Amino acid sequence: MEPIRMVDLVGQYAKIKEEIKEEINQVLDNATFINGPAVSDFQSELEKYLSVKHVIPCANGTDALQVIMMAYDFPKGAEVIVPSFTYVATVEVIALLGLRPVFVEVYPDTFNIDIEDLESKITDHTVAIVPVHLYGQCADMERLMKVAKKHDLKVFEDTAQAIGANYKFSDGNTVKAGTIGDAGATSFFPSKNLGAYGDGGAIMTNDDELAAKLRMIVNHGQSERYYHDSIGVNSRLDSIQAAILKVKLKYLDGYNQARQQVADKYNSAFATTDEIITPITANFTNHVYHQYTIKLKDASKRNELNKYLAAQGIPSMIYYPVPNHLQKAYSYHGYKEGDFKITEDLCSRVISFPIHTEMQSEQQDFIIENVLKFFSL
Ligand SMILES: *Cc1c(COP(=O)(O)O)cnc(C)c1O
């Protein structure tokens, strides 16, 4: 049996090696290292895949979020609502721009932003909401958009973990994650569902005016060469990464299906024990399982389980052990333990098992067998 990894990028590469090399070689042969045809081709192919008017490639997912918020030029101290249970990047860029991250609770079953708590946190200073489609399923966007509209707030979707996921509105209209709000941000970090072989990111929007602004900001605020209309940044998707992503985009749906199969198998295997609470998918979304994250009935067993599995050569991870409102970097807002009880409870209880596109059935059987064995000891 091959060694078990959280994400098997080695095995995935082996299957598409020749195609990838050919695309990379084209960039090398033509020396189109910056914003060449690989970038523009990938951009239009992603626009088509997502059915969105504009994709703005950039250097990484964190930049994607930052550039969106730069485009709006919100006043210093304006409030941006984010779930406390998310990766820190979502929160970081808000603080970096001198805005105030306002945390809200998540639902304990889907791990996504709690719409009632969100609405209760809106003040006269609130300007935007950043829902995160955590682990690969969409937040409750229809209700969220209604709240945003009612209070005249912008919505920026953090879809770094959910590229390719579908969201279904109650009228049956189905769209891709990241294309519902004013703008969406995604990441091509190697382990993401659409991963490059280095850093990468993109913004998506259907708003022409916003798209033009975003393209300017990622390019030093430049409207035409050497004319700078606003303060920008240098945030480009590398051409070699774009060439790689162009190949991998063709496989994204297949990759997401492979992840779903792994998740289905875990779900049925773990249904046999009440020690494990398997992930729930809301009825308005599908789940592309960026992570397969379960809740332990008994949180005090998590450390032991992690160690037990590691001893058998099975990695497991905690996404995320510390809620953002209790991170040292954000303590200046005066949040304290007990402010977000569900988030805090989840941070103590969740554990993620290996999930990727190359899982062999003997590997997954071995993981399942050992997890179940742990609970029978
Ligand atoms: C990965 C990730 C990001 C950041 O993406 P980078 O490309 O690493 O900057 C932002 N938000 C979430 C939820 C993520 O998982």
Side-chain angles (χ1 to χ4, degrees):
M1 190 172 67
E2 301 277 319
I4 297 172
R5 302 181 173 91
M6 281 304 284
V7 183
D8 182 3
L9 298 176
V10 174
Q12 195 191 56
Y13 173 61
K15 289 186 182 160
I16 53 173
K17 213 174 199 161
E18 292 316 313
E19 268 183 289
I20 295 271
K21 283 185 174 167
E22 206 179 303
E23 288 291 331
I24 291 177
N25 279 337
Q26 271 193 33
V27 176
L28 299 181
D29 288 341
N30 301 315
T32 47
F33 300 123
I34 301 289
N35 291 339
V39 178
S40 50
D41 289 354
F42 172 64
Q43 176 189 313
S44 52
E45 280 159 32
L46 188 57
E47 283 165 353
K48 212 165 116 195
Y49 174 82
L50 295 170
S51 293
V52 72
K53 273 173 94 175
H54 306 281
V55 162
I56 298 97
C58 63
N60 56 68
T62 310
D63 273 10
L65 287 162
Q66 178 180 325
V67 167
I68 294 169
M69 283 184 243
M70 284 176 76
Y72 284 90
D73 219 359
F74 294 127
K76 293 274 171 264
E79 295 173 0
V80 178
I81 293 179
V82 278
S84 179
F85 193 60
T86 179
Y87 182 53
V88 71
T90 327
V91 181
E92 189 173 57
V93 296
I94 299 168
L96 199 62
L97 294 175
L99 308 171
R100 186 189 164 99
V102 172
F103 296 117
V104 304
E105 196 57 282
V106 294
Y107 292 121
D109 53 351
T110 62
F111 311 108
N112 276 327
I113 192 163
D114 178 321
I115 310 295
E116 283 91 33
D117 195 42
L118 184 174
E119 196 162 16
S120 78
K121 299 280 161 60
I122 295 171
T123 72
D124 292 345
H125 304 291
T126 311
V127 290
I129 308 165
V130 185
V132 181
H133 304 313
L134 202 73
Y135 302 150
Q137 71 166 312
C138 296
D140 190 349
M141 291 304 291
E142 185 160 353
R143 282 175 67 208
L144 188 141
M145 292 306 289
K146 267 189 205 144
V147 172
K149 205 166 172 191
K150 185 167 132 198
H151 298 272
D152 197 24
L153 304 175
K154 299 295 170 195
V155 175
F156 312 135
E157 299 170 69
D158 181 342
T159 187
Q161 299 189 1
I163 190 138
N166 295 319
Y167 183 88
K168 193 172 171 190
F169 286 92
S170 51
D171 65 2
N173 184 30
T174 301
V175 298
K176 289 286 181 199
T179 66
I180 303 164
D182 296 275
T186 199
S187 163
F188 306 123
F189 186 82
S191 63
K192 298 284 157 87
N193 288 32
L194 179 58
Y197 296 162
D199 277 304
I203 304 166
M204 37 267 187
T205 183
N206 285 306
D207 180 335
D208 299 340
E209 209 178 306
L210 176 63
K213 237 187 235 177
L214 295 168
R215 284 189 208 290
M216 224 167 71
I217 294 171
V218 296
N219 188 24
H220 300 290
Q222 187 164 260
S223 55
E224 56 183 300
R225 202 155 197 192
Y226 304 125
Y227 291 82
H228 305 273
D229 297 353
S230 65
I231 298 174
V233 292
N234 173 12
S235 186
R236 288 185 284 251
L237 177 63
D238 184 272
S239 294
I240 290 178
Q241 299 306 334
I244 292 159
L245 289 166
K246 228 172 70 175
V247 174
K248 292 187 72 179
L249 179 58
K250 292 187 293 184
Y251 298 104
L252 178 59
D253 285 340
Y255 287 162
N256 283 342
Q257 278 158 21
R259 288 172 176 275
Q260 284 158 350
Q261 275 168 20
V262 173
D264 288 346
K265 184 163 167 176
Y266 277 140
N267 282 342
S268 38
F270 298 147
T272 59
T273 169
D274 61 2
E275 299 275 358
I276 291 177
I277 302 149
T278 55
I280 303 285
T281 308
N283 58 9
F284 45 72
T285 177
N286 69 344
H287 201 320
V288 295
Y289 290 101
H290 174 60
Q291 300 299 348
Y292 182 81
T293 304
I294 58 123
K295 293 188 287 184
L296 293 177
K297 193 176 110 193
D298 181 354
S300 72
K301 288 185 179 163
R302 187 170 68 177
N303 214 0
E304 263 175 89
L305 172 62
N306 173 270
K307 276 195 202 137
Y308 178 84
L309 293 175
Q312 324 295 318
I314 302 168
S316 59
M317 296 286 287
I318 314 301
Y319 304 113
Y320 300 91
V322 182
N324 284 299
H325 69 278
L326 298 179
Q327 294 286 358
K328 199 168 145 197
Y330 303 101
S331 61
Y332 63 96
H333 290 307
Y335 286 110
K336 57 186 187 311
E337 211 172 320
D339 284 347
F340 299 96
K341 291 200 172 65
I342 294 167
T343 295
E344 290 164 20
D345 182 63
L346 290 176
C347 287
S348 75
R349 200 175 288 287
V350 292
I351 184 164
S352 303
F353 296 138
I355 191 162
H356 53 75
T357 60
E358 310 305 315
M359 182 76 81
Q360 294 159 0
S361 72
E362 58 171 346
Q363 290 177 316
Q364 197 176 1
D365 290 342
F366 184 73
I367 298 168
I368 289 168
E369 184 190 307
N370 278 283
V371 169
L372 295 176
K373 203 150 107 197
F374 171 81
F375 290 110
S376 66
L377 290 177

